[in-house]
Amino acid sequence: MIDRFRSQVNLGNLIFGVSLVFVAWLVWYFFTGLGGSLELAARLIPVALILQILFMTQMGPLYPRLPAKANHALVVLYIGIALYAFGYFLSEYERIAIYSQGTYTRQDFIVGLLMFLLVMELTRLAHPVLFWVNVVMVVYTLYGHVFPRSLDFFWHPGTTFYRVVTSSTVEFSTGIYGIYGQLALTLIAAFLLLAGVANGFNAQHAMINVVRLFARSPRMMPQTAVVGSSAIGLISGSGSANAAVVGTITIPLMIRYGAPPTFAAAVETSASIGGLIDPPMMGAAAFLMAEFLGVPYWDVVLRGFGFSFIYYISIGVAIYLLSVRLLPAGKIDKPQVPLYEKVTTSIFFGAVLYLVYLMGFLGKGELRAAVSTASWMLAVLVVVFLYFKHVRKDPFLKGETLFLSLRRGIETHAEMTSYLTLLLATLGIMIGLFTVTGFINRMGAMLLDIGAWNVWAMILMAWVFGWLLGTG
């Protein structure tokens, strides 16, 4: 009995256990809304960081140059910091959020400092460019008075490191626990339920195999990457997730039918990155725009359809023209796609249409619409899985179990949500420091002055700011 228990104690099962708690807590919040998004962020951001540490460790050592014992010790230390913050904010949240604004205790500062350093270190490992941008912002926040007053756009009186830490953590209004972290754990996490459910039952891979039915020549094979990525982008909102899911199938296919490897990689990259503007998910940007503008999320999504359509039509045509030059003509054999994959593909697209129907025609809120769609999708996929597994005895599902599918879905959702939570917490620190220094207000005033002179100049300047930050 003891040996059996020990055999189950491993990193994979630990990830599943934490993921189960994380996803269950989120779903409970989606249906109840108790405590509000700020309290949810204070509770679950440390859990999201623990998940990211575990997922990073699963892919390999955090520090390849250090010995295994040192890596294990650092992983335990990082998880210990997150658990300490989780317990502290669990017991002290009300005091910090309501009664101690501006009068934080030494322990408040220590917990905030530890969380600040943990997020910065995880960002250094996962998003090194953003890490260095934040380092520059910390230095700028501390020593803004070094700039001559003649450079009024950059000059500010400076502040203390204490203020840098508190504004990024325990003040809650900005930084790690601000609006960005809250969005990651509410609206974005609700939409990612769709991606988790779909991946749990392999609906995404099934959809790509079904799309292959329409590629009857080698020159049309790259279009499977375009169509597949545009479909996965509907619920993932992520270029990297698109490439990971679609690219593992389409890149080898394109190479098999004569595409140069670099061309195949470029096709998948350009097709996958469109997931960032592919409605109704549209990455994190659409949620932020809706929040800033104070408009329903559907209003942003509705206008995003036009941009997404233009993007995918454009790259589809460009890829086809290159395919005519690079790939041979002729026909290819029609692939054999199991009925189960055709059915799950229909459910996948049906769920997207149902989501659009709920938000666009019934006017339901985006969070409720996403959760309702994910619940409907899960229920239908479970019924279909059980029917094909136990009634039809489909050999395609040999080795698959309902528990394995549910586990895969939970871990997928936890991984994607924790990854975006870390990313948006990092951006929260950046924007918080921009706010503390007054840089955002000065930039806004400059854009307004330019707009009073020429609206096209204002649009160009806003594009330049966006492009510069977008490179990171």
Side-chain angles (χ1 to χ4, degrees), residues 126-138:
H127 310 286
V129 174
L130 292 179
F131 167 79
W132 288 111
V133 170
N134 276 352
V135 169
V136 171
M137 282 305 305
V138 169

Side-chain angles (χ1 to χ4, degrees), residues 228-238 242 274-276 278-282 312:
S229 294
S230 64
I232 299 300
L234 294 171
I235 60 172
S236 71
S238 168
N242 257 0
L276 294 170
D278 204 0
M281 186 62 184
M282 296 185 71
Y312 277 108

Side-chain angles (χ1 to χ4, degrees), residues 143-338:
Y143 302 106
H145 60 276
V146 173
F147 288 92
R149 283 185 174 269
S150 57
L151 296 175
D152 183 61
F153 185 76
F154 294 101
W155 184 91
H156 69 90
T159 187
T160 62
F161 184 67
Y162 178 89
R163 180 81 172 95
V164 169
V165 172
T166 57
S167 66
S168 299
T169 53
V170 292
E171 286 187 14
F172 287 157
S173 58
T174 59
I176 296 170
Y177 298 97
I179 186 63
Y180 297 95
Q182 295 170 40
L183 280 174
L185 293 171
T186 51
L187 288 178
I188 296 176
F191 275 78
L192 288 178
L193 282 173
L194 295 168
V197 172
N199 190 59
F201 290 87
N202 290 315
Q204 296 167 323
H205 288 84
M207 181 273 303
I208 300 168
N209 289 332
V210 172
V211 168
R212 288 176 56 197
L213 293 172
F214 301 97
R216 304 308 301 273
S217 74
R219 291 176 176 176
M220 291 301 296
M221 192 55 66
Q223 299 300 324
T224 61
V226 178
V227 178
S229 294
S230 64
I232 299 300
L234 294 171
I235 60 172
S236 71
S238 168
S240 57
N242 257 0
V245 174
V246 183
T248 54
I249 299 175
T250 58
I251 291 177
L253 273 176
M254 287 185 278
I255 295 174
R256 184 193 309 170
Y257 288 101
T262 51
F263 173 71
V267 168
E268 184 54 53
T269 301
S270 59
S272 295
I273 205 67
L276 294 170
I277 59 170
D278 204 0
M281 186 62 184
M282 296 185 71
F287 297 100
L288 297 177
M289 293 302 101
E291 184 71 25
F292 292 156
L293 296 173
V295 300
Y297 178 67
W298 176 250
D299 288 356
V300 179
V301 168
L302 194 60
R303 288 154 180 81
F305 278 109
F307 292 105
S308 180
F309 179 80
I310 293 171
Y311 179 82
Y312 277 108
I313 289 295
S314 300
I315 66 169
V317 172
I319 288 170
Y320 178 74
L321 294 176
L322 289 170
S323 299
V324 170
R325 182 165 63 89
L326 295 173
L327 297 178
K331 292 186 177 182
I332 59 177
D333 295 331
K334 185 177 180 180
Q336 297 297 320
V337 179

Side-chain angles (χ1 to χ4, degrees), residues 341-363:
E341 290 199 330
K342 295 178 181 178
V343 174
T344 53
T345 298
S346 301
I347 296 171
F348 176 89
F349 285 110
V352 174
L353 292 175
Y354 183 59
L355 177 63
V356 171
Y357 172 73
L358 289 179
M359 289 195 301
F361 295 93
L362 295 187

